[in-house]
DNA sequence: CGTTATTTGTGCGTATGTATT
DNA sequence: AAATACATACGCACAAATAAC
């Protein structure tokens, strides 16, 4: 043994979690520098390499950014918005000026495919279907499948329980405040599909019309999937824009 | 210096790129184990830590997965042509495992819309149309409109001058080496469209089938647009995947 | 069933390079 | 110019999971 006892969990993971919590508790806001590698190594009685390992993960999560010669800083998080990694453009301003109208309220349901994409052991998910409107125009149809724990966290939201209810919330925004662990990232897949009867009715387009399909799986900081959202957008009223940059190193 | 010369790029990045290429060229399919850390360290004359650093990035990209005690394996790619294009480098690397077939060679053309999107004073652009294939399957139809200066830089590329020519290049890769100013960023817009006669013929799908349309405008470091690429993808064979994270600055 | 070899995972110490202040 | 702080790289030791014997 090399001076260090193995109490089950890796030292760099413990350190990463402590730093993550401190940042989420807003202890390093507005440009405050985090402790240096040497300081943390000293404080936690680990090597500087172990501190670096922890920071490496936090950088990958987007929790902090580092500048050679200056230090390590908490990445400011503006509310419940997610942005594309490495870009400056907003992902989408969905909740800003749009409304949500429930088509089928939140109910327990058996869906093998959705359950497996949420990495559940059982086949049971909780599902809610709604459409999103902007100034009266429907432009997006969404089916949301929830992890049981996530569904429990949303059980007392009246706007999701009855068909026809209207709200200006987002599921992900509700989840982020009600779950004990914050949402850290999402895996997004974009493809094209054609409108079936249900989608055509909800969106007011023709059957067979092309739609933009955007699937998103939201994950908490401990990589647990909690929500699978399947969106169908009308291409005339929505396109997904990103700015790509050349990486600096 | 510690026995190793610093030829500009980090050793772990060089190694990661080589491994990435090998995997994209399908050199480690169906459960074939990649070389062990010790073997790669030996072969590339780097330390085992440096090999681990490279693998760490490849795991984060989803290129490989690792099992303690067993080894490292290429991550299976479930049928589809799935690529994550988070940076310009990713787009330039598109040529690694795809081929380009010219449908309409590079010619001078009047196109008011394309010219305005390239912020040209005149209405004249230079246009080339091709399709991209992956292991024999056409999955993408592309129309590229070039700034006159960019077209001049590509004037001596024989593969673009005649219909039917096949190449494994990318336009953006060719431009980056031939233009005096490097490509710095791209503005990307994704939406859905239906296949018209031309697209259906090129991609082998039906007229009216839904396609994923991806427009990209490439800009040099001085914000000058040089290329507008309009891609149409078959959704069965392609989806656009991105990992989203909490916003960084 | 335990033993052993292989392979990845964690951790430390050290040295040097590079960007910022 | 010097100090500070992050980045890369090496070598070593031991732990833990896996597979073969």
């Amino acid at each position: 043994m090399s001076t260090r006892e193995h109490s089950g969990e890796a030292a760099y993971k413990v350190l990463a979690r402590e730093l993550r919590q401190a940042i989420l508790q807003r202890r390093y806001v507005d440009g405050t520098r985090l402790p240096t590698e040497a300081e943390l190594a000293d404080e936690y009685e680990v090597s500087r390499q172990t501190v670096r390992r922890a920071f490496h993960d936090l950088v990958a999560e987007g929790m902090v950014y580092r500048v050679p010669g200056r230090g390590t800083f908490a990445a400011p998080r503006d509310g419940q918005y997610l942005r594309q990694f490495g870009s400056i453009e907003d992902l989408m301003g969905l909740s800003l000026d749009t409304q949500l109208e429930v088509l089928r309220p939140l109910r327990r349901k058996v869906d093998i495919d959705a359950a497996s994409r949420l990495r559940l052991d059982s086949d049971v998910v909780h599902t809610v279907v709604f459409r999103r409107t902007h100034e009266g125009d429907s432009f997006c149809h969404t089916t949301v499948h929830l992890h049981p724990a996530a569904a429990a966290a949303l059980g007392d939201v009246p706007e999701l329980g009855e068909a026809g209810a209207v709200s200006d919330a987002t599921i992900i925004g509700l989840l982020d405040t009600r779950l004990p662990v914050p949402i850290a990232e999402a895996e997004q897949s974009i493809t094209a599909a054609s409108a079936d009867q249900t989608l055509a009715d909800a969106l007011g387009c023709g059957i067979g019309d092309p739609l933009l399909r955007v699937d998103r799986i939201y994950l908490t900081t401990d990589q647990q999937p909690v929500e699978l959202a399947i969106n169908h957008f009308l291409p005339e009223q929505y396109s997904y824009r990103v700015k790509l940059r050349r990486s600096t190193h």
Side-chain angles (χ1 to χ4, degrees), chain A:
Chain A
M1 190 185 318
S2 61
T3 76
R4 181 120 321 280
E5 69 264 77
H6 283 245
S7 41
E9 192 172 12
Y12 74 89
K13 290 185 181 173
V14 176
L15 177 53
R17 187 171 53 246
E18 300 233 353
L19 291 170
R20 195 183 294 114
Q21 285 192 349
I23 292 164
L24 289 174
Q25 287 162 12
R26 309 199 143 267
R27 301 241 309 268
Y28 298 107
V29 288
D30 58 40
T32 318
R33 211 197 61 195
L34 269 72
T36 68
E37 295 180 353
E39 287 165 355
L40 286 168
D42 213 47
E43 182 184 345
Y44 284 83
E45 296 182 309
V46 295
S47 77
R48 195 187 139 210
Q49 307 312 316
T50 302
V51 177
R52 284 187 61 72
R53 184 76 175 78
F55 271 136
H56 195 275
D57 286 6
L58 293 175
V59 169
E61 291 172 24
M63 290 294 299
V64 304
Y65 65 93
R66 319 194 73 192
V67 185
R70 291 218 296 134
T72 304
F73 306 85
R77 39 187 243 126
D78 36 350
Q80 59 268 62
Y81 283 86
L82 294 168
R83 293 188 183 174
Q84 173 157 10
F85 180 66
S87 90
I88 305 194
E89 296 274 322
D90 273 7
L91 163 58
M92 51 186 59
L94 265 191
S95 66
L96 277 180
D97 51 354
T98 68
Q99 283 197 318
L100 174 161
E101 175 190 345
V102 174
L103 301 177
R104 286 167 53 192
L106 184 58
R107 289 285 183 273
R108 188 176 177 279
K109 192 184 162 191
V110 172
D111 189 321
I112 301 175
D113 182 56
S116 79
R117 292 179 70 182
L118 287 172
R119 295 182 215 151
L120 296 177
D121 292 329
S122 83
D123 298 341
V124 180
V125 295
H126 292 71
T127 303
V128 56
V129 181
F130 54 87
R131 68 177 156 194
R132 209 164 264 288
T133 59
H134 173 67
E135 295 178 354
D137 292 325
S138 302
F139 72 101
C140 176
H141 177 281
T142 302
T143 303
V144 168
H145 302 288
L146 295 170
H147 185 286
L154 297 186
D156 58 340
V157 178
E159 293 93 330
L160 301 179
E162 53 180 302
V166 172
S167 159
D168 58 355
T170 60
I171 303 290
I172 195 64
L174 292 170
L175 275 182
D176 199 43
T177 58
R178 285 154 193 263
L179 283 179
V181 198
I183 308 287
E185 58 184 55
E187 293 169 0
Q188 179 170 269
S189 162
I190 305 179
T191 188
S194 45
D196 61 14
Q197 179 76 59
T198 305
L199 290 169
D201 287 350
L203 295 172
C205 66
I207 295 176
D209 284 3
L211 299 175
L212 192 67
R213 173 174 170 161
V214 179
D215 290 14
R216 260 183 242 120
I217 298 174
Y218 292 94
L219 309 168
T220 58
T221 48
D222 46 359
Q223 300 293 303
Q224 172 64 49
V226 290
E227 176 189 342
L228 163 64
I230 299 172
N231 305 277
H232 285 89
F233 292 94
L234 283 174
E236 300 81 29
Q237 291 171 48
Y238 181 87
S239 68
Y240 179 84
R241 293 173 203 273
V242 197
K243 182 167 279 191
L244 304 171
R245 290 183 196 289
R246 190 148 208 169
S247 50
T248 48
H249 34 214

